[in-house]
Structure formats: structure tokens, C-alpha cells
Amino acid sequence: MKNLLVTTLAAATLFGAAGTANAHLTAFGWKDNGNGTITMFGQHWHGDQTEPSTANGGVRIGVFGTDDTLWPVFQWTGFFNNEGGTLAGMDAMITAGRLTGYAVEPTNFSDSPFENDWFFTDPLVLGNGTWGLFTGTNCCIDTMSAPGQFTLTGITSVPGGTGPGGVVPEPASLALLGIGMAGLAASRRRKQAV
């Protein structure tokens, strides 16, 4: 499995306390858009959707162990059905370039071809690193019982450790930063040589 998201669960287990009756989110995924942003995905089992869920307002992303009510919320703004579901199906999504990586929720994920519907966010800024993800406890489609700790990997267009909700730098700003850093390094080398 390429770029499989490493998952560490908090306290009991993610979704475990809620049970399957109201814990429908079975996996997270993400796509590096190649432009300094990613798109987050939430896989669920609730039958084909006709619109993105608003039950929990989307996915909260922040530093695990801090107050999750203060984490920025990234709303589900789109959806697609009947793709993924199983580990092999999500691996195929990576191979096809649909996802960069994913993580299953070990208590709720059953490797079923019927758990194959997704919500997704607008592009956001988030780099490789360990983050807290939480959709919320409101019934029904994208419910989680508690925040979980997840390690994102495989993102190359966003600097590692870049937090959620950051501003995408303009390409010109990045170029100036690179020139400035090169000049600083050259200056230090000259001082050390003297």
C-alpha cells in the first residue's frame, strides 16, 4: 500500500464508543494538488449521496491533544460515489492519481466494497506530519465519536509540518525567499573563509 496513512487512535478508539449505528466515516484520504494545497476526503458507508454532508460541517484539523473545538473546520463541498471501499480499491485510487494517501479507521473499516462513497473539501494547506482529524459526533453520515491522531505522508507540494489553514505563498514570494536564503548562505560561507 503506497503512502498509507499511519494511524494512532486516541483514548478508546476512533468511532468505537459511538458504535456502528452512528459512526459512518470509515477512512480519510488526501490528494496533493501539486500547487501548495491538498484536498481532504472522507469515505463513508451510507449509500450513494446526492450532495455533500452538512451533519458535522466537514472535517476539523489541528494539533492532536489540543482543544478540537478550536481546530479549523474544512467543509465537505463535493462528493463522488462507488469508488474505493476496500484496501485494494483505495490502492487503485492512488495508482490512478485520485488519492495521494489514505488511512482507515480500524474499528469501523471492514474492507467492504459497499463502503465506497466519499465527501471532499475545497483545497487547503496541510503538509506531511501528525495531525488530529475530527468530523464530529452529530448523526449521521460523516460521524466520528472522538478525534483521532493521523500521520499524513506523501505530500510534496506543501512543506512538511505546515499547519491547517495556512496561506499558500505566491510563486514570486517563494522565488524571493529562495534567492534570499541562497544569499544568506553565501554570506556565511564568505565570513567563515575569512
Side-chain angles (χ1 to χ4, degrees), residues 73 83 121 132-133 187:
V73 179
E83 192 171 353
T121 65
L133 303 177
S187 173

Side-chain angles (χ1 to χ4, degrees), residues 155-168:
I155 300 169
T156 60
S157 76
V158 182
T162 301
V167 177
V168 182

